[in-house]
């Protein structure tokens, strides 16, 4: 069997699994095995999605969540790459700073939230800080690794060309580390989404997290599920978009395999 | 090997050496890699360096490149103390796969040297095309190194070095990893390129035939620690030819002498 056909077979199979999962959900709801207060049927969740979008409610919530996620993730990316580049390009820095990083890294971000709230209040700034703090780790660690793993021969080429320090970073080190950095950024995207929702729930900031919380409190299970589905779609779409960007940016790697 | 330190002193009336080692000793990690090496390379000279593995020939080349600083003694380039690598000295590394930027195309890799030299971007494409044509890679500008054969990658590295417009070309076993046919072709191309540019060359190799075929002079190093063991002037007519030069009685005599030397060092 050729490769292409295999790929399509796998896709069809995974689609079938998803479809039967929804069918099962519909069946459970129709048979009223679980109260409709807690479990809406898929068609009701869908209707709520359509209604939410047509009256604009869900649009604004989705925009709020995307905004939190994007700002936090971008801040984490910029800071993570910058700090990671500084640490990764110096062996002395790696030796001195690495132990502190190992202490901070496994710290659950949820433990930081009360501290952030105490310092910054229930504000957008607090959300930005928490999301960025959580999302920075995969990016920073990947950047450190990427910078530390640059082929030494390339630095010698750069030296013999008498390239400036800045040129070495932008023309040699960063592109060489880019596969690691982009992989870190993809992992951080998920972290940023999770923390956006957490911050919206805790701080009552406008977004899907807040929508889900309010719907649950009001026993509007169809709206609750609509929000959850939308969050799932957001995670999926952003991750696919990131993969596509990676594929494009790292086209040169394809020829190496 | 008599009084090696004195041999390469500047003699009045002779051109100043482009690269001069004066009593150079290099210690790395407490080991003496090179001891009291003195050597002058005339402008435009093609000097080949041979020796058993571990004799410090690559290290000597790195000293000439300014990538290492001697523990004692000095290395001069055009009469100036060498304190760091310079753009006038280009290095062709043996491991071409590691010395090229895998994320840049052939054109991009050549461009790196032009960018470092401050050439305006508008002038680069024409120069890149010219350089790629010079090394026999026309029409490969858009290929990534990984899409090229070993011989092509080494040509590309040579193109990048030529883009530096070097006064001196340092080559570290550049053809060691290539098959015999590719190697012979590249030997002739390098001779033609060097003749056209007038660059000084230090060429490190473990292939004695290659050293005699290419060089104006061949130096054999002795190991532990590295020092000069033999020095042969190669008075073979140029341009060299893969068949007639290699059959020349002088070629065979030098070859014999060099083989005997290497054999003796290995005992």
């Amino acid at each position: 069997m050729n490769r292409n056909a295999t790929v399509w077979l796998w896709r069809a199979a995974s689609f079938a699994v998803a479809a039967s999962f929804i069918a099962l959900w519909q069946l459970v709801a129709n048979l009223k095995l679980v109260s409709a207060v807690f479990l809406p049927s898929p068609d009701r969740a869908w209707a709520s999605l359509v209604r939410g979008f047509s009256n604009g409610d869900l649009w604004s919530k989705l925009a709020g969540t995307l905004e939190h996620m994007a700002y936090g993730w971008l801040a984490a990316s910029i800071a993570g790459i910058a700090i990671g580049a500084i640490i990764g390009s110096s062996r002395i820095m790696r030796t001195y700073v690495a132990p502190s990083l190992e202490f901070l890294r496994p710290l659950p971000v949820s433990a930081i939230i009360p501290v952030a709230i105490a310092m910054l209040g229930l504000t957008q700034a607090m959300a930005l800080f928490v999301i960025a703090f959580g999302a920075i780790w995969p990016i920073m660690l990947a950047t450190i690794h990427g910078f530390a793993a640059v082929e030494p021969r390339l630095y010698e080429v750069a030296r013999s060309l008498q390239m400036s320090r800045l040129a070495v970073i932008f023309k040699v080190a960063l592109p060489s580390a880019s596969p690691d950095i982009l992989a870190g950024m993809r992992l951080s995207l998920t972290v940023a989404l999770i923390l956006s929702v957490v911050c919206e729930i805790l701080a009552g900031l406008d977004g899907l997290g807040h929508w889900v919380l309010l719907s649950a409190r009001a026993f509007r299970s169809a709206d609750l599920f609509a929000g959850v589905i939308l969050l799932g779609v957001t995670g999926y779409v952003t991750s696919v978009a990131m993969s596509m960007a990676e594929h494009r940016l790292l086209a040169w790697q394809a020829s190496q395999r | 090997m008599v009084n090696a330190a004195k041999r390469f002193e500047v003699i009045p009336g002779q051109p100043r050496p482009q690269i001069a080692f004066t009593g150079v000793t290099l210690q790395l990690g407490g080991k003496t890699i090179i001891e009291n090496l003195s050597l002058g390379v005339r402008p435009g000279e093609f000097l080949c360096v041979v020796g058993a593995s571990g004799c410090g020939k690559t290290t000597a080349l790195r000293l000439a490149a300014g990538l290492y600083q001697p523990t004692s003694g000095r290395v001069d380039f055009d009469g100036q103390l060498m304190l760091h690598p310079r753009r006038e000295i280009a290095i062709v590394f043996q491991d071409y796969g590691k010395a090229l930027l895998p994320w840049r195309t052939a054109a991009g890799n050549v461009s790196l040297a032009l960018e470092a030299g401050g050439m305006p971007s508008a002038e680069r494409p024409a120069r890149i095309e010219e350089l790629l044509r010079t090394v026999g890679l026309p029409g490969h500008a858009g290929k990534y190194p990984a899409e090229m054969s070993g011989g092509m990658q080494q040509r590309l590295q040579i193109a990048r070095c030529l883009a530096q417009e070097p006064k001196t070309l340092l080559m570290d076993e550049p053809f060691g990893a290539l098959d015999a046919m590719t190697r012979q072709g590249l030997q002739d191309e390098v001779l033609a390129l060097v003749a056209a540019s007038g660059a000084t060359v230090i060429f490190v190799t473990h292939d004695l035939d290659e050293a005699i075929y290419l060089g104006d002079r061949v130096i054999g190093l002795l190991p532990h620690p590295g020092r000069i063991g033999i020095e042969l002037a190669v008075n073979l007519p140029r341009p060299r030819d893969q068949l007639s030069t290699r059959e020349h009685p002088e070629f065979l005599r030098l070859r014999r002498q060099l083989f005997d030397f290497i054999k003796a060092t290995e005992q």
Side-chain angles (χ1 to χ4, degrees):
Chain A
M1 199 188 306
N2 71 47
R3 233 183 100 102
N4 228 347
T6 318
V7 168
W8 280 106
L9 203 67
W10 277 110
R11 279 191 192 158
S14 60
F15 184 77
V17 169
S20 47
F21 179 73
I22 293 173
L24 183 71
W25 174 16
Q26 183 78 52
L27 191 71
V28 169
N30 285 353
L31 294 174
K32 302 224 185 305
L33 294 177
V34 181
S35 160
V37 175
F38 303 112
L39 183 74
S41 58
D43 57 333
R44 275 182 58 218
W46 177 252
S48 168
L49 260 177
V50 172
R51 189 172 359 100
F53 274 118
S54 57
N55 67 21
D57 280 357
L58 273 178
W59 277 122
S60 71
K61 305 289 167 195
L62 177 63
T65 298
L66 284 176
E67 197 179 319
H68 294 140
M69 185 180 168
Y71 283 144
W73 181 69
L74 283 176
S77 298
I78 294 166
I81 293 170
I83 299 170
I86 293 168
I87 298 171
S89 52
S90 148
R91 184 174 301 140
I92 299 168
M93 281 291 275
R94 286 206 297 278
T95 317
Y96 283 111
V97 179
S100 313
L101 291 183
E102 287 310 311
F103 173 76
L104 282 170
R105 188 179 57 91
L107 204 65
V109 183
S110 29
I112 293 293
I113 296 178
V115 182
I117 292 177
M119 290 192 310
L120 299 166
L122 295 172
T123 59
Q124 300 282 0
M126 181 282 293
L128 183 68
F129 174 79
V130 169
I131 297 164
F133 185 85
I136 200 173
W137 298 104
I139 302 174
M140 188 161 78
L141 294 173
T143 308
I144 292 174
H145 177 260
F147 266 70
V150 176
E151 170 59 46
R153 185 68 83 226
L154 292 179
Y155 283 136
E156 290 181 350
V157 170
R159 280 178 68 198
S160 84
L161 287 171
Q162 294 188 285
M163 284 165 66
S164 69
R165 220 188 154 78
L166 219 59
V168 175
I169 289 173
F170 282 101
K171 291 179 181 174
V172 177
L174 261 181
S176 170
S178 61
D180 287 313
I181 294 173
L182 288 169
M185 285 171 77
R186 183 156 34 83
L187 290 177
S188 289
L189 210 51
T190 317
V191 178
L193 177 60
I194 294 168
L195 290 174
S196 298
V197 172
V198 171
C199 286
E200 284 157 13
I201 288 176
L202 286 178
L205 302 173
D206 210 23
L208 285 172
H210 193 52
W211 163 279
V212 165
L213 182 72
L214 291 186
S215 303
R217 282 189 183 155
F219 298 103
R220 287 177 295 150
S221 62
D223 289 350
L224 167 66
F225 271 65
V228 171
I229 290 167
L230 205 49
L231 281 169
V233 171
T234 305
Y236 180 74
V237 168
T238 49
S239 153
V240 167
M242 185 68 205
S243 293
M244 280 163 65
E246 252 183 288
H247 197 76
R248 245 203 126 97
L249 288 167
L250 302 179
W252 55 273
Q253 271 200 325
S255 60
Q256 288 192 308
R257 293 194 195 107
Chain B
M1 223 198 349
V2 214
N3 205 356
K6 266 196 152 170
R7 196 185 298 174
F8 301 101
E9 277 177 357
V10 179
I11 302 155
Q14 293 239 341
R16 182 177 64 192
Q18 186 163 89
I19 293 184
F21 283 60
T22 315
V24 169
T25 296
L26 181 76
Q27 291 170 332
L28 286 176
K31 257 183 79 179
T32 305
I33 312 291
I34 285 187
E35 191 168 64
N36 197 22
L37 180 72
S38 290
L39 171 69
V41 190
R42 294 188 309 276
E45 184 179 11
F46 201 122
L47 175 76
C48 292
V49 181
V50 297
S53 49
C55 71
K57 28 186 211 298
T58 294
T59 310
L61 202 74
R62 295 173 70 84
L63 281 159
L67 289 171
Y68 285 155
Q69 285 298 316
T71 311
S72 68
R74 57 186 286 159
V75 179
D76 292 88
F77 180 79
D78 270 349
Q80 274 184 306
L81 185 63
M82 179 109 72
L83 292 170
H84 53 77
R86 332 159 129 250
R87 260 201 300 278
E88 303 109 291
I89 305 175
I91 317 163
V92 178
F93 292 101
Q94 178 181 14
D95 42 5
Y96 40 79
K98 290 180 177 176
L100 295 168
L101 306 178
W103 56 87
R104 285 198 182 206
T105 58
N109 270 283
V110 176
S111 177
L112 185 76
L114 299 178
E115 292 160 29
M119 180 183 274
S121 56
E123 295 170 25
R124 283 180 220 145
R127 181 79 180 120
I128 290 167
E129 207 194 310
E130 185 190 336
L131 285 162
L132 288 176
R133 203 169 346 102
T134 310
V135 298
L137 291 175
H140 296 286
K143 279 193 180 159
Y144 288 103
E147 297 171 312
M148 307 169 99
S149 69
M152 287 163 78
Q153 290 185 42
Q154 194 56 292
R155 283 161 196 266
L156 179 56
Q157 201 192 172
I158 292 170
R160 185 180 65 201
C161 286
L162 293 177
Q164 290 176 243
E165 295 184 6
K167 284 187 178 172
T168 294
L169 199 54
L170 305 174
M171 307 184 89
D172 185 11
E173 302 197 27
F175 311 140
L178 302 174
D179 63 87
M181 284 307 289
T182 311
R183 189 184 314 176
Q184 291 203 345
L186 277 168
Q187 285 168 354
D188 290 333
E189 283 174 40
V190 162
L191 283 180
L193 288 174
V194 168
S197 71
T200 311
V201 181
I202 304 183
F203 191 105
V204 166
T205 177
H206 58 253
D207 180 343
L208 306 183
D209 290 38
E210 182 174 67
I212 301 165
Y213 181 74
L214 294 173
D216 294 317
R217 183 157 56 119
V218 179
I219 283 178
L221 295 184
L222 287 168
H224 315 296
R227 65 222 127 99
I228 294 177
I230 193 173
E231 188 193 348
L232 300 170
V234 182
N235 293 311
L236 286 164
R238 288 190 188 270
R240 307 261 162 100
D241 178 85
Q242 290 289 353
L243 291 177
S244 62
T245 300
R246 288 175 192 269
E247 286 166 355
H248 201 285
E250 176 69 0
F251 184 93
L252 298 174
R253 188 185 69 77
L254 290 167
R255 185 173 186 269
R256 183 52 184 267
Q257 216 178 332
L258 214 48
F259 265 93
D260 286 345
F261 163 75
I262 293 292
K263 222 171 162 186
T265 65
E266 278 172 351
Q267 278 162 7

